[in-house]
Structure formats: structure tokens, C-alpha cells
Amino acid sequence: MITRNELNILQARLDEPRNFIQVLAGPRQVGKTTIIDQLVHLLAVPYTSVSADGIDSNNAEWIADIWNVVRKTMELQHQQEHVLIIDEIQLLNKWSNIVKREWDADTMSKTNIKVVLLGSSRLLLKNGLDESLAGRFELIHVPHWSYNEMHEAFGLSLEQYIYYGGYPGAAGLIKDGKRWKQYLRQSIVNPAIEKDVLMTTRILKPALLRQVFEIGATHSGELLALNKIVGQLQDAGNTSTVAGYIHVLGEAELLCGLQMYAPDVTRQYQSIPKFQVCNSALHTVYHPSTFEHIYTDPALWGRWVESAVGAHLINHASEEDYKVFYWRERNDEMDFVIAQNEQVLGIEVKSGHRSAGNGLRAFQKRFPHARTLVVGTGGMPLDLFFSTDPSCLC
């Protein structure tokens, strides 16, 4: 079984004196629960691991009940330290208020309960941590699986990773494309929208949200004006509503709309979004064609390669201090731009089938202090790029 780096980080922090709540957050099906299963076998102290899944969402006091059981256990068994792990905590309303109350009570009484919370995506961070637990937690983000991890664990080739993406639970189904897509929809997409989004965010039109996601995922790597999206929707909506739903889907680490890079922030916000899935699988799942058809069609494969490059950039941007954009001016375009502090890097993706454009030269002329990088044919090999932390490229 592969060991993700987040396990090492979490274990090291729990070995330290009690200071912060540790929050393990990331999208569905990336191995957060597996990390905990591995962790408990490494702990040298007693632990209690529970899940809020199946608990009434209005019963946040359930957290206090569990906490009190741990305190009583420590007292009866003369334990000096205990680790309390609560999974799917974002499913409980006002959970952060209860956690704050119990954590502060332990701090006052010097009760050595170390706490680990698990939640799906950054929606957990937006709904409680900043409001009630500011200064009391550290966030460990668990990203989608990388090419190296999928290759090591399941033997996926580079081409398979670009098409099938980085969901470990679905890796064993790739030989049956229809079954693989059904699993993606039923076990990843539907729960992510119905639980991680609809149960943690006020969405007035759930059907509209789902349509926005499906359209955006299908057009990953493409620029698509919001008014054109509204024209494709079966449910009534407006551009402001669609923009808000794209933001929510980005927080859920499903789909984001990249803004155009410009020194003027106003121009960034007013730009046409470039849709980008956070995992290549989400681009593939809504396309009717097989892997063989996509791979042997030069134009289609070029789109898949660009989308996979974007997903890699987005996943690392969740951990590192840089932002991902695109750039376009008239007919000249740079596929991606990453900005890290004062450093700017333009990235042009060439799959071997795409002809070179003038975007790279135009970008260099427009931003002479920026660096540029070609990924793919004639530049950094794709396997090396997918094995590299993009923050190291700036």
C-alpha cells in the first residue's frame, strides 16, 4: 500500500506537544480515511476514531458526547494522552462551535486530547474553521493523486493517467470503460455534489449547479463565456448565478474557472473563464469516446493533454503559494500562467499534434520579465512535468 506524504506530516505533528487541531481536508476518494487507517497503526498512544456520516446533521452535540467519553476513558485508564479522530465532520451543522468549546475546555483543564478532523474539500475550511477555530488549527491538504502515485500503485502509463486521472478507487476498472464511468458518476461526482456541496452550501438551484459542472467538465481547457453557458442551460439562470456556482465547484475541488492573467486585477475578474477540471477523470467521464479513440485523434488528445497539465497545476496550487491563470490577447494565447509572489511563468503545452502558435513570443513581448516554459514536444517531457512540483519551476 502506498504511503502518501500527508501521513508523514500528520504523524510528525501528533508527535509534538498538543498545540493545534490537525485538519485533514481534500476531495473525495483521495485516501483521507486510508491515511487515518495507516496512522492508527503507527500511534504509540490510545486513540478513538469515529465518523459523523449517518449522524443527524442537527445533532452537533454528538461531538461533545464522544469527547466526554474520551475524557472519561482517560480518567479511568489513567491515560496521559489520547488522540481523537472525527471523520466527515462537515456534515454536522455548527460543528465548529462545539469543537471550539470542547478544545478550549481541554486547554483550560490541561487535558491532553489531540484532535484530528477530516472533511471533504476546502468547503470544510470555508464553513467553520476560519470563523470559530481561527488560530486553533493547522490544515493538511490532501490533493488528488499524482502521476507518480498512480503509476507506482497501479502501473498506469502516462497516457492512461492523462485520460483516466488520479482516482485510486477507480484504477482497477479502467479495462471496462463503461463501468469506470459509472463508478465515477455514482461514487465520486454524485456524492461530491450532493453531500460536499449541497449539504454545506446554500444552493437555490441544484439542477442548475449540476448542469454547470457537466458543461464545464466537458469543456475543460477551453474558454467559454458565461452568457454562452447560460444559453446552454435547461434551467433558468443568469451569469452571476453561474459564476457563483463555478466558485463553489472550485472550493469542492471539482471544477474551476481560471481567470486571465493581467497586472490589472479588474481585468482578471472581468475576463472570460477558462474551465479546468481538478482531476482529468472529471473531463473524461462525460465524453462518449473511448481511450483508444481519444488517443488516436490528434485534436482531441491535445485537449486532454492540456487539461491534464492544468489539473496538475491546480492541485499543487492548493498547497503552494501561487495562482494559476491563462493569458490571451487577440489571437495570441498562453495556455497557463502561474504567478508566485513576483515570479511569473507562462506555460505552453504541445502534445506533438498541436502546431506551435505565436502565443509564447507574444507573451514574452507583453511581459518581458516573465519566464516561459514549453511542456511536451520540444520542451519539458510530460512525464517529467507530471513528476515535478510546479512551484519549483517559477
Side-chain angles (χ1 to χ4, degrees):
M1 182 179 292
I2 193 170
T3 299
R4 305 201 74 188
N5 186 52
E6 291 72 29
L7 171 62
N8 300 326
I9 296 172
L10 180 57
Q11 183 182 10
R13 291 182 181 179
L14 290 176
D15 286 340
E16 298 172 352
R18 178 186 181 275
N19 195 14
F20 298 108
I21 298 169
Q22 298 301 319
V23 180
L24 209 61
R28 284 186 172 269
Q29 298 286 325
V30 297
K32 297 185 298 294
T33 303
T34 300
I35 289 173
I36 294 301
D37 290 342
Q38 293 172 324
L39 172 72
V40 297
H41 289 93
L42 301 173
L43 290 175
V45 299
Y47 70 90
T48 297
S49 182
V50 295
S51 174
D53 193 14
I55 304 299
D56 187 333
S57 60
N58 293 315
N59 185 21
E61 286 294 336
W62 169 84
I63 298 171
D65 295 339
I66 296 296
W67 216 300
N68 284 324
V69 168
V70 171
R71 291 183 182 122
K72 193 64 177 179
T73 300
M74 292 180 69
E75 177 186 344
L76 293 174
Q77 299 185 6
H78 307 289
Q79 297 172 0
Q80 300 300 311
E81 180 179 333
H82 199 105
V83 176
L84 172 59
I85 303 164
I86 306 177
D87 197 358
E88 297 286 8
I89 195 165
Q90 83 281 353
L91 298 179
L92 300 178
N93 298 329
K94 300 181 180 180
W95 63 268
S96 58
N97 294 332
I98 308 301
V99 171
K100 176 180 181 295
R101 185 186 71 196
E102 302 303 322
W103 175 264
D104 288 351
D106 285 347
T107 301
M108 291 292 293
S109 65
K110 294 183 169 48
T111 302
N112 194 16
I113 300 177
K114 297 178 180 179
V115 178
V116 179
L117 306 179
L118 283 74
S120 296
S121 79
R122 287 172 291 194
L123 289 171
L124 173 63
L125 182 63
K126 301 292 288 186
N127 290 277
L129 292 178
D130 282 345
E131 298 173 4
S132 300
L133 297 174
R136 295 173 174 83
F137 73 94
E138 289 183 293
L139 179 68
I140 302 174
H141 177 254
V142 186
H144 291 280
W145 278 45
S146 67
Y147 163 61
N148 284 347
E149 290 174 316
M150 293 298 288
H151 177 71
E152 178 184 345
F154 306 104
L156 262 67
S157 67
L158 175 63
E159 293 76 17
Q160 287 175 320
Y161 177 74
I162 289 171
Y163 181 84
Y164 292 107
Y167 283 116
L173 303 176
I174 64 175
K175 292 183 178 180
D176 186 339
K178 182 178 179 180
R179 185 180 175 190
W180 178 85
K181 289 182 179 181
Q182 288 177 340
Y183 176 85
L184 258 292
R185 293 192 186 100
Q186 297 169 2
S187 299
I188 296 177
V189 175
N190 289 347
I193 291 177
E194 294 169 7
K195 290 189 176 181
D196 299 343
V197 176
L198 297 182
M199 291 184 66
T200 58
T201 308
R202 187 168 179 264
I203 300 295
L204 297 178
K205 298 181 178 181
L208 179 63
L209 173 76
R210 186 179 291 275
Q211 290 174 39
V212 170
F213 170 68
E214 292 181 3
I215 290 173
T218 302
H219 292 278
S220 182
E222 300 179 42
L223 275 67
L224 197 61
L226 296 183
N227 56 357
K228 291 186 178 181
I229 298 176
V230 171
Q232 296 184 46
L233 297 173
Q234 297 176 0
D235 196 1
N238 56 51
T239 56
S240 297
T241 302
V242 171
Y245 287 173
I246 294 171
H247 175 75
V248 170
L249 291 167
E251 294 294 334
E253 300 185 70
L254 293 171
L255 172 79
C256 62
L258 301 181
Q259 297 172 341
M260 185 182 74
Y261 177 74
D264 182 357
V265 177
T266 302
R267 288 193 65 195
Q268 293 179 7
Y269 287 118
Q270 293 177 344
S271 62
I272 297 174
K274 179 176 182 175
F275 284 101
Q276 177 60 59
V277 293
C278 299
N279 190 312
S280 293
L282 301 173
H283 183 200
T284 301
V285 71
Y286 293 109
H287 200 281
S289 298
T290 64
F291 169 72
E292 290 76 15
H293 175 73
I294 297 294
Y295 182 61
T296 55
D297 184 309
L300 283 175
W301 185 246
R303 284 176 50 194
W304 254 255
V305 172
E306 181 179 337
S307 181
V309 168
H312 181 68
L313 295 173
I314 289 295
N315 282 325
H316 281 274
S318 300
E319 302 173 50
E320 305 296 338
D321 187 23
Y322 72 80
K323 294 183 178 180
V324 184
F325 304 89
Y326 74 94
W327 177 78
R328 186 177 188 180
E329 197 167 89
R330 297 184 180 89
N331 294 325
D332 298 319
E333 183 178 348
M334 181 63 69
D335 294 322
F336 301 102
V337 178
I338 58 177
Q340 184 180 41
N341 299 323
E342 300 299 321
Q343 305 294 320
V344 178
L345 176 67
I347 298 176
E348 180 177 349
V349 183
K350 295 173 65 176
S351 65
H353 305 301
R354 296 178 60 190
S355 59
N358 297 319
L360 190 145
R361 290 186 293 275
F363 182 81
Q364 290 174 324
K365 184 177 180 179
R366 178 68 177 81
F367 304 102
H369 299 294
R371 298 175 59 233
T372 57
L373 175 69
V374 174
V375 174
T377 305
M380 176 181 281
L382 286 170
D383 57 348
L384 177 58
F385 173 79
F386 286 119
S387 303
T388 303
D389 183 343
S391 66
C392 300
L393 300 174
C394 291

